[in-house]
Amino acid sequence: WRLLAIITLKYSSNSIRFRERKKVCNLKGAIVVPCYNEFFRLHCNFVTWYKLKKQYELIFVDDGSNDGTFRVAEKLGKCIRLDKNMGKGYAVRVGILEALKTNPDFVGFTDADLSVSPDQWEKLIAKLKDFDIVTGSRSMPDSVVNRSPMRKLTGKVFSTIVHEVLQLQVHDTQCGLKFFRPEAAKLLFAEPLVANRFAFDIEMLLRAKLLELSIAEIGIIWQEQKGSHVKLSSVFEMLKSLIKLVSNLPVSTTGSARWNTEKLFKQGE
């Protein structure tokens, strides 16, 4: 029944439309914030998050933190607490599914450190009137990126590998700011992820390509924050996840990649 549903949704996805072309300020949106040991950064940005609470429904997902993240997050919005660390992708999916219960006009997720300032969100949200998914990007001509040379190098190498191997239309797959029409989010997160950690963005975009969902990539101003959980070891972990995902993309006799939908939408590991 899953495959039948996917096939049906694939051909109906082109008919997905934003519920009403309201002004962005009048939209009811839900923002998911995955958190792992983010007590310090949530505390530092407490005033900003508190103001955002008045504009959006904030759903924090405490991914097995041991530093008191939950105590801060519960003061800023709804907070879901996971018993142990399951990975960013897992936390985002839990939050998105919870957000969809409120019947929002749009859903999205962002990083707890606010590397992309909230005053940039509206220009992405506005694009949802024309696209199913809108993602921030550090790879567009108008992007402004401030980060360490090492992280810039590893990010460039990884994004090049992903683009060459999977031929995704999105150049910066790993930007932590993405927004969705609710109908698109339901399709993308209905099934558990195979890649539950930092590579989950790639799997999500693969699913979007399979379902022929439209995607806009918008340049953003991105400021690296201290205390990032993305380390050199994270890059190797993402490469392992990429190999796992590619194993579900057998090459046809014409040389074009074709998805094994049963594997891609299977129970996450």
Side-chain angles (χ1 to χ4, degrees), residues 6-17:
I6 291 166
I7 293 170
T8 301
L9 291 169
K10 174 180 176 180
Y11 289 102
S12 66
S13 62
N14 290 332
S15 65
I16 293 176
R17 293 294 181 267

Side-chain angles (χ1 to χ4, degrees), residues 58-221:
L58 299 179
I59 299 177
F60 295 86
V61 183
D62 182 357
D63 188 19
S65 301
N66 54 24
D67 68 342
T69 291
F70 182 81
R71 296 201 307 272
V72 182
E74 67 178 349
K75 293 179 174 63
L76 297 170
K78 181 167 188 175
C79 187
I80 300 171
R81 195 173 191 179
L82 303 181
D83 292 334
K84 62 180 181 179
N85 180 250
M86 300 296 293
K88 182 179 179 181
Y90 188 98
V92 166
R93 180 174 179 268
V94 168
I96 292 289
L97 293 179
E98 183 64 28
L100 289 171
K101 295 177 182 178
T102 66
N103 196 33
D105 291 313
F106 68 88
V107 296
F109 65 83
T110 190
D111 293 329
D113 62 5
L114 294 177
S115 295
V116 183
S117 61
D119 58 5
Q120 300 181 67
W121 294 1
E122 286 194 0
K123 70 176 181 179
L124 277 71
I125 296 167
K127 288 290 184 179
L128 287 171
K129 70 179 186 292
D130 299 314
F131 297 90
D132 300 312
I133 304 167
V134 181
T135 178
S137 177
R138 296 160 292 189
S139 301
M140 305 302 286
D142 60 341
S143 301
V144 178
V145 181
N146 298 302
R147 58 179 165 179
S148 65
M150 176 58 70
R151 190 165 179 184
K152 184 179 295 186
L153 175 62
T154 56
K156 181 66 174 177
V157 170
F158 184 75
S159 62
T160 300
I161 293 172
V162 171
H163 183 68
E164 290 299 319
V165 172
L166 300 177
Q167 296 296 303
L168 294 173
Q169 68 182 87
V170 175
H171 295 86
D172 182 8
T173 59
Q174 302 310 114
C175 182
L177 181 67
K178 293 180 174 68
F179 296 99
F180 312 85
R181 293 176 176 175
E183 296 89 347
K186 289 174 186 176
L187 301 183
L188 293 170
F189 294 98
E191 295 291 332
L193 296 163
V194 174
N196 278 314
R197 296 193 178 274
F198 290 113
F200 84 96
D201 300 82
I202 301 170
E203 181 178 351
M204 181 198 66
L205 292 169
L206 278 172
R207 293 183 176 192
K209 187 172 183 178
L210 169 67
L211 295 167
E212 298 181 356
L213 298 176
S214 57
I215 305 174
E217 189 173 13
I218 308 298
I220 45 90
I221 300 172

